[in-house]
Amino acid sequence: VTGVHVDGKVIACDAVVVALGPWSVLAEDWFEGIQVPMVGTQGTSAVYAHPPSSVTPGPLFCAEDAQGRHLEVFSRPNGEVYCVGGAGDQKIFVPGQLRALPPKEVLEDDEDLSAVVGYFEALSPLAKREGPDRTQ
């Protein structure tokens, strides 16, 4: 890589980061010879907002619980606690499926959201009685 075309201009560089989440597989069409070996999972997330510096940033990966729920928790420096997971088996996508998945069709799943919130409430006092501040 020597540069990238942006708005009709070439910006010189020796590396490129493609940060499109699961749609990063589309970069295979843009760069000759590149392969993006990616498998994606889909879950619903809940975000709990807390004051900055009130939580220690870091990840927590939880085992499946007795109700079959799975959960990953990421606390952030800005105080947010991001929880993602779901109920039952994870929805797994291979590159061909990711290519065909329009972002606007990736929607919250009510059952998964209930599983994420329920698991986090059972796990941590950081879960708020009134529920998450936002979901996605």
Side-chain angles (χ1 to χ4, degrees):
V1 175
T2 58
V4 293
H5 290 267
V6 178
D7 296 330
K9 299 177 185 174
V10 176
I11 299 173
C13 63
D14 58 10
V16 175
V17 175
V18 177
L20 300 172
W23 294 278
S24 294
V25 297
L26 298 174
E28 292 176 344
D29 298 338
W30 308 333
F31 303 104
E32 187 175 321
I34 188 173
Q35 287 189 313
V36 181
M38 177 175 278
V39 174
T41 61
Q42 181 179 349
T44 295
S45 59
V47 180
Y48 296 84
H50 294 279
S53 304
S54 67
V55 297
T56 302
L60 173 66
F61 300 96
C62 303
E64 187 173 293
D65 72 1
Q67 287 78 38
R69 302 176 298 193
H70 50 91
L71 181 69
E72 297 174 6
V73 180
F74 303 90
S75 53
R76 299 172 172 161
N78 68 355
E80 286 185 339
V81 179
Y82 173 83
C83 306
V84 63
D89 294 332
Q90 287 187 323
K91 298 164 192 81
I92 298 174
F93 298 91
V94 296
Q97 292 169 311
L98 292 170
R99 286 174 169 280
L101 184 63
K104 65 183 175 192
E105 291 184 17
V106 179
L107 305 172
E108 295 179 11
D109 179 283
D110 291 338
E111 182 182 4
D112 284 347
L113 180 59
S114 178
V116 167
V117 170
Y119 197 150
F120 189 57
E121 286 177 352
L123 180 71
S124 175
L126 292 174
K128 296 179 179 178
R129 184 176 307 222
E130 64 273 12
D133 294 284
R134 73 177 189 273
T135 59
Q136 50 196 34

